[in-house]
Amino acid sequence: MTPPASRPAPVAPAPPAIPDPLIPQPPALAAAVEGAFLAKALKPRGEMFLLSMAAGAMIGLGFILFITSQQGLAGGDFPVGLGKVIGGFVFSVGLWLVVITGADLFTGTTLTVMPLLSRRLGVAPFLTHWCISLLGNLIGAVALAVLVLLAGTHASNGGAWGLVVLNSSLAKVSYPWFQAFMLAILANMCVCLGLWAATSGKTTFDKLVGVAGPLTLFVATGFEHSVANMFMLPMGLLVKYGAGDAFWQGKAVEAAGKTVEDYAALTVGSVVWDNFIPVILGNIVGGALVIGAFFWLSYRRSALAAERG
């Protein structure tokens, strides 16, 4: 009788690879950013759309925290600059969530101009990605705004929460068209630099720090971000037209002396023409040209020329 064959000894799993603690050098980081956005542009369209909706909602979540932080600051008892910096910092949670989850944010998607310039991405998938990302962001942001209204958050603290939304929304549709366009260029410079810095991060904390600085800068200074506005401006319209008498009779709203007539300039038309259009165009210029094309020319063009002989 032959003895049973002995079983092989179990093999211990290999330990996880230790990430390189060093930040990539700028040329390598530019290549990493290009590769990351190429991968986003080549995802299946259904997955791309779902991730775009998620990004719109996550930026909206950041704006919810911003609104919450600004309640009661208009009275003048708190330093204006410090209040804005606090609001900007807490808003950065939205982009941090986008980075950690791999969601698809249109303003970051403008960086797909880099693989386009490198001829690694065709014009058709490039434009398709932009359109899907923009539409998905809008749907996700508006859906979140509807949920917030149904939850009654706008009526918090005697209507103080909704009052921040209305005042912010009115300010956003009151900019001259060219000023909104220029503010949007500056905003997406900051957002894309935040994503660039986050790409260099080796840990979750690194990525948060990379995002927080540029995001705090743009929000505190009042630059204009199209996807953030896709939440804030529909939220403002929902509060204006759907909050009901209970909101307008809230303690904070009455103390501020505000009525629905004070927001007559906040309409669907003003949201689209005076904000969405110039801000989307400005974000494209700030992300695709000022950051994406600039750093492609700075680092990628010469590297590709060397690779191709």
Side-chain angles (χ1 to χ4, degrees):
M1 182 175 180
T2 58
S6 59
R7 294 181 180 179
V11 178
I18 299 174
D20 184 350
L22 298 178
I23 295 173
Q25 291 297 307
L29 184 55
V33 171
E34 179 181 315
F37 282 94
L38 175 63
K40 283 183 177 291
L42 296 178
K43 286 184 181 295
R45 292 180 182 179
E47 181 180 339
M48 187 186 294
F49 181 67
L50 291 173
L51 291 172
S52 298
M53 286 198 300
M58 288 171 188
I59 293 297
L61 290 173
F63 230 146
I64 288 172
L65 190 52
F66 166 85
I67 295 163
T68 301
S69 75
Q70 300 302 292
Q71 294 174 93
L73 296 186
D77 295 330
F78 195 84
V80 174
L82 182 57
K84 289 180 178 296
V85 168
I86 291 171
F89 178 76
V90 300
F91 173 82
S92 67
V93 169
L95 187 59
W96 180 53
L97 291 173
V98 168
V99 169
I100 295 301
T101 61
D104 198 326
L105 181 67
F106 172 72
T107 46
T109 289
T110 58
L111 289 174
T112 53
V113 74
M114 296 179 72
L116 179 70
L117 290 171
S118 295
R119 291 179 291 177
R120 300 170 68 192
L121 181 66
V123 173
F126 170 79
L127 293 176
T128 298
H129 183 206
W130 276 28
C131 292
I132 291 175
S133 181
L134 192 61
L135 178 62
N137 285 178
L138 177 63
I139 292 173
V142 173
L144 180 66
V146 172
L147 287 174
V148 171
L149 184 79
L150 294 175
T153 306
H154 62 285
S156 299
N157 301 320
W161 200 94
L163 203 57
V164 173
V165 173
L166 287 168
N167 291 336
S168 297
S169 298
L170 183 62
K172 287 178 177 294
V173 299
S174 299
Y175 289 121
W177 208 93
F178 181 73
Q179 185 179 5
F181 175 75
M182 299 305 293
L183 289 169
I185 292 175
L186 292 164
N188 211 27
M189 288 171 60
C190 294
V191 170
C192 289
L193 288 171
L195 292 170
W196 201 287
T199 303
S200 74
K202 303 297 183 179
T203 67
T204 301
F205 181 76
D206 292 348
K207 294 180 182 297
L208 173 59
V209 172
V211 162
L215 266 286
T216 300
L217 188 162
F218 109 67
V219 176
T221 311
F223 299 155
E224 288 291 304
H225 184 262
S226 57
V227 183
N229 293 349
M230 288 175 188
F231 170 79
M232 179 65 93
L233 293 175
M235 189 78 243
L237 291 171
L238 287 169
V239 173
K240 177 184 175 181
Y241 294 115
D245 292 340
F247 170 77
W248 295 104
Q249 294 166 5
K251 183 177 179 181
V253 179
E254 289 192 336
K258 296 293 185 180
T259 66
V260 69
E261 287 77 18
D262 292 310
Y263 302 96
L266 179 61
T267 65
V268 173
S270 67
V271 164
V272 174
W273 175 251
D274 295 320
N275 191 274
F276 279 0
I277 292 176
V279 172
I280 288 171
L281 293 175
N283 285 169
I284 289 171
V285 172
L289 298 182
V290 180
I291 301 301
F294 179 88
F295 283 109
W296 184 87
L297 290 169
S298 299
Y299 294 121
R300 296 295 295 148
R301 180 173 61 172
S302 58
L304 289 167
E307 290 172 11
R308 293 166 181 168

